[in-house]
Amino acid sequence: MPKTTHPAKSRWFWTLVLVSSLVFPALNLGAQAATPTPAPTGTLKAKVQIVEVTKTGTTISVNPVKVKLKRKQEIVVWVTNGLSMKIDFKPGNPAPGNPFTDLTCKGSFCGVLTPPDVAPGVFNYKVTVDGAVLDPNVEVIP
């Protein structure tokens, strides 16, 4: 004897499929991901130059030896494998002497958040890591 399909059960199945296809797109589940807020244009122009200050024994070295920063566009960050670092700009540099208004050193990290707004020139500085001293320089270019 052949098996018969009851039309009532079949109708409920297709009704469920039809209602599901109408309800789930209305819930818009796929669009619930957080959309990032775009950053205002013109505020993210600064690029970061990283200077690695490596201490080996009682000597230190920097990479790169000369940091070239674009005026009003780039900032610099110094990082070291030592415990403490200090940066002092030397007397005799072009005015204002120190091209950075907000140079901050904390432990093994020194950095600035404001790009230099000075005339192009070469600024010599002294970096001290755990008592070892080195004299590299920063060049500000137009």
Side-chain angles (χ1 to χ4, degrees):
M1 203 172 189
K3 186 169 181 164
T4 59
T5 308
H6 295 318
K9 290 183 181 176
S10 178
R11 268 187 260 144
W12 281 111
F13 173 75
W14 290 112
T15 304
L16 180 65
V17 169
L18 178 65
V19 169
S20 298
S21 67
L22 296 174
V23 170
F24 287 118
L27 291 177
N28 205 8
L29 294 176
Q32 288 184 358
T35 56
T37 305
T41 58
T43 59
L44 298 175
K45 289 184 180 178
K47 293 181 183 177
V48 178
Q49 296 281 343
I50 298 175
V51 179
E52 295 176 353
V53 182
T54 308
K55 181 182 178 205
T56 51
T58 59
T59 62
I60 59 174
S61 62
V62 295
N63 183 24
V65 175
K66 179 182 266 190
V67 183
K68 288 188 177 187
L69 297 177
K70 290 185 180 175
R71 182 176 176 246
K72 296 184 180 181
Q73 294 181 20
E74 295 179 332
I75 60 175
V76 64
V77 173
W78 289 267
V79 293
T80 185
N81 61 344
L83 298 175
S84 67
M85 179 169 41
K86 183 179 178 186
I87 295 177
D88 297 307
F89 281 84
K90 295 182 166 191
N93 282 334
N98 179 351
F100 308 109
T101 57
D102 63 343
L103 176 65
T104 305
C105 293
K106 299 273 186 184
S108 61
F109 174 84
C110 288
V112 295
L113 296 176
T114 307
D117 187 11
V118 296
V122 176
F123 297 85
N124 295 313
Y125 66 96
K126 175 177 78 172
V127 61
T128 307
V129 176
D130 300 338
V133 177
L134 185 65
D135 295 329
N137 59 44
V138 172
E139 182 178 0
V140 178
I141 57 176

